Amino acid sequence: MPKLTLDGQEFEVAPGTTILQAALSRGSIVPHYCYHPGLSIAGNCRMCLVEVEKAPKLVIACATPVTDGMVVKSHSERVKTAQAAVMEFLLINHPLDCTICDQAGECRLQEYAVEHGSGRSRYVEPKVLLNKAVDIGRNVMLDQERCIQCSRCVRFCDEVSKTSELAFFQRGSQTMIGVYPGKRLDNPYSGNTVDICPVGALTLKQFRFQTRVWYLKNTPTICAGCARGCNVLVAVGLQNEMWTTRGQFDDGIKRIVPRVNGAVNGHWMCDEGRLSYLDLDKTPRIATAEAPVGTAIEWDVAVARVAAALIPAAKSGRAAAIFSPRQTSESIWAWKQLFASLGTVRTGVRQLAHGKDDAILIRADRGANSAGASFILGEQATEEAVRSAISGGEVDLLIVFGDPLNPADTATLDGATRARVGKLFHVGPFADANARSAELALPVAAWAEEDGSFVNFEGRVQWTRRCHLPRGEGRPGWRVALDVAHAAGVELPAWTSSGEVLDDLADAGGVYGGVSEKGLGLLGMAPAAMTAAGA
């Protein structure tokens, strides 16, 4: 293990570690643009210059491996002078448009100009003018003047998506980033180029000019787009009526960006998951208990009506329920406990599969909690089994749980199937097609409005967090089950949080044995870890 002395502190690093990696691992700030831990090393921005004892000149920290006994200074006067020169060079042709740039507030060019720049420029000639607001893809806009040629986006398209749409063109001061002729940046992971751009050269169309980043609240949670369970940060607006900036009058979701988890999604996420929040606003929400949809009734009256119909149907074994694979495990567990207390209720989980798995992240199974639902209800609990029972005239009452992310993914009944079901209740956030055909609908929290856990396709349990309050009278699914249980005279545990429901689920053993909200943390719990914990 080579030993490195960095700014007076000696420590050991693994063989092959670069100076920059060693510095970052110790929390030492060495400025850099082109280096990204998920990409190959390019060494072209020259911002990470450091002084190495006995070296004739400064070296770039990102591409220089540590050798035993190496002594490095990252804040010497030589280093500061060089970094100021690099900053002056990068800003020569950069436009002064921070006031309208989406990157403002997250821009490393701004930050490093203050921290490492000289505060002045000796360049008095006209700036090189390039193309602005160039539509290069379905989701991405390009401003060539802002590009500092770090090549992160080019390397991403070459190494990760392997689609190679981007490249540098021309030479010298005329060098510009762009797409190859006849190509567009339309690969399924194009939004990641926006995330890794250290300046505002690449911006996301759906977030462009919507709000300022300092008006956002970021919540670490889990994407519900597919069975991968990518770790993400969901940014919602900070609602304040006194602000006049556009987009600050609501606490709705403004954007989703990936959160690093090497065991799940690395540094990336797909565009489908990134933009999945847009579906939350396409269909009207169920604001209160309604019977039918469009006619509001009191909550207590609604749950009493559901309980009164469910009790005899469950006792006779003629009740059924279709769950969404995007419901939290806590909601599914609470409803299972209720059904078991009342009698026999056939349960099935909707299958959401389209396309195919790719070699990066995307899973054909679009159910973020398909594995969790299967663990709780059993592998035989399928939507097809419930529909078969309906066709056989074995179901008098059906509860359909609406999809909490995309209303188009909620199970629906055709006319003939609906006619075979005497009573149809809908429990979901959206006034979707199934809700409109139900005789009663209870609103629940949508994705990003409820705490709970998902189990991804690899068996990893992860905690999804509420990003803003549910709309209207919506509440967590487990809370609705508890209300119906009370109306039915069933004694369920007096849960007050999703974490308490998870504790009950963990006590039941199986793959959830030893799992707790605190134990899941920000990165979740792997199957092997669960086994070691007593699963």
Side-chain angles (χ1 to χ4, degrees):
M1 298 281 283
K3 286 187 177 181
L4 167 70
T5 300
L6 176 64
D7 296 327
Q9 294 187 351
E10 185 181 75
F11 55 95
E12 290 185 344
V13 298
T17 302
T18 65
I19 296 174
L20 179 58
Q21 291 169 338
L24 295 176
S25 71
R26 303 286 291 187
S28 179
I29 300 176
V30 175
H32 58 278
Y33 288 116
C34 65
Y35 172 78
H36 188 280
L39 302 172
S40 64
I41 294 174
N44 58 354
C45 77
R46 321 309 286 182
M47 193 63 198
C48 65
L49 289 167
V50 294
E51 185 176 354
V52 176
E53 190 176 82
K54 298 181 181 180
K57 59 182 180 179
L58 300 180
V59 301
I60 52 174
C62 69
T64 305
V66 173
T67 58
D68 191 38
M70 179 179 281
V71 178
V72 178
K73 297 178 182 178
S74 66
H75 302 296
S76 67
E77 287 304 315
R78 285 183 66 194
V79 170
K80 291 179 180 178
T81 300
Q83 289 172 342
V86 172
M87 283 304 308
E88 184 179 6
F89 176 75
L90 292 176
L91 290 168
I92 281 177
N93 290 308
H94 196 82
L96 299 178
D97 60 355
C98 298
T99 54
I100 63 169
C101 180
D102 277 335
Q103 194 74 9
E106 297 178 324
C107 180
R108 287 192 178 182
L109 202 63
Q110 284 181 327
E111 295 168 0
Y112 290 169
V114 173
E115 296 171 3
H116 306 287
S118 64
R120 64 185 179 87
S121 174
R122 292 166 291 178
Y123 189 77
V124 296
E125 287 74 21
K127 292 177 180 286
V128 174
L129 301 180
L130 298 174
N131 298 313
K132 303 183 74 68
V134 183
D135 184 349
I136 62 170
R138 183 170 53 249
N139 300 315
V140 181
M141 294 286 285
L142 167 65
D143 188 319
Q144 292 178 324
E145 289 184 347
R146 295 175 183 166
C147 178
I148 62 170
Q149 297 157 29
C150 70
S151 78
R152 280 185 173 189
C153 59
V154 176
R155 282 177 283 149
F156 175 85
C157 292
D158 288 345
E159 300 166 9
V160 181
S161 69
K162 301 185 186 302
T163 48
S164 300
E165 299 96 337
L166 294 170
F168 288 115
F169 300 90
Q170 304 301 332
R171 293 183 178 181
S173 63
Q174 300 297 315
T175 302
M176 67 182 76
I177 190 72
V179 292
Y180 280 105
K183 279 196 172 186
R184 284 176 61 78
L185 186 60
D186 284 340
N187 71 71
Y189 297 89
S190 64
N192 292 286
T193 61
V194 176
D195 299 331
I196 62 179
C197 180
V199 294
L202 297 172
T203 53
L204 196 71
K205 290 180 180 179
Q206 292 78 6
F207 184 69
R208 187 176 171 85
F209 301 138
Q210 293 301 303
T211 187
R212 287 300 197 178
V213 297
W214 50 82
Y215 292 143
L216 298 177
K217 180 187 73 173
N218 292 299
T219 301
T221 187
I222 306 300
C223 175
C226 80
R228 173 71 60 177
C230 290
N231 289 218
V232 299
L233 288 175
V234 174
V236 300
L238 291 175
Q239 188 174 6
N240 191 321
E241 295 181 358
M242 297 303 294
W243 287 336
T244 57
T245 304
R246 179 184 177 189
Q248 300 314 308
F249 293 103
D250 67 87
D251 64 347
I253 298 175
K254 305 300 180 183
R255 72 174 181 185
I256 302 176
V257 296
R259 177 167 56 90
V260 179
N261 187 336
V264 181
N265 57 299
H267 300 81
W268 322 117
M269 71 179 301
C270 72
D271 289 353
E272 184 176 346
R274 181 187 300 274
L275 302 176
S276 60
Y277 71 94
L278 298 175
D279 291 326
L280 295 174
D281 300 324
K282 289 182 179 180
T283 303
R285 299 289 291 269
I286 302 173
T288 184
E290 301 178 359
V293 169
T295 303
I297 61 174
E298 293 293 328
W299 181 267
D300 291 342
V301 173
V303 295
R305 189 179 300 181
V306 172
L310 185 58
I311 291 172
K315 284 183 178 179
S316 62
R318 298 184 64 82
I322 298 177
F323 288 88
S324 166
R326 292 189 179 124
Q327 289 176 264
T328 64
S329 292
E330 290 67 29
S331 292
I332 297 172
W333 174 254
W335 281 96
K336 179 186 178 182
Q337 296 301 99
L338 170 60
F339 294 156
S341 299
L342 291 175
T344 301
V345 178
R346 300 173 187 269
T347 56
V349 181
R350 182 162 173 76
Q351 299 298 309
L352 298 178
H354 60 83
K356 59 182 180 179
D357 301 345
D358 72 4
I360 306 176
L361 296 175
I362 295 173
R363 305 294 299 178
D365 181 1
R366 296 307 202 251
N369 198 30
S370 295
S374 178
F375 291 148
I376 295 171
L377 300 175
E379 295 183 359
Q380 304 304 315
T382 64
E383 179 184 1
E384 289 73 19
V386 172
R387 289 183 178 272
S388 177
I390 294 173
S391 299
E394 302 172 38
V395 176
D396 293 335
L397 181 148
L398 176 66
I399 298 176
V400 173
F401 293 92
D403 191 273
L405 178 65
N406 186 348
D409 289 333
T410 297
T412 57
L413 307 180
D414 57 35
T417 304
R418 175 66 183 91
R420 293 190 182 97
V421 175
K423 291 184 177 296
L424 175 63
F425 296 143
H426 179 88
V427 181
F430 304 106
D432 51 37
N434 182 75
R436 290 192 294 270
S437 66
E439 63 182 74
L440 185 147
L442 293 175
V444 297
W447 174 77
E449 299 173 2
E450 174 184 1
D451 291 335
S453 62
F454 289 156
V455 182
N456 76 353
F457 76 103
E458 296 174 312
R460 190 180 191 86
V461 183
Q462 303 186 98
W463 193 250
T464 176
R465 293 167 177 80
R466 187 183 74 184
C467 304
H468 58 74
L469 294 174
R471 303 311 186 200
E473 288 190 354
R475 57 200 69 189
W478 62 264
R479 177 71 248 188
V480 178
L482 202 57
D483 289 347
V484 175
H486 289 164
V490 173
E491 290 295 330
L492 291 184
W495 302 307
T496 60
S497 69
S498 297
E500 292 181 3
V501 185
L502 178 59
D503 291 340
D504 273 1
L505 178 54
D507 289 341
V511 295
Y512 291 94
V515 175
S516 67
E517 178 182 352
K518 182 178 180 180
L520 293 178
L522 291 175
L523 301 180
M525 186 178 289
M530 288 190 292
T531 300

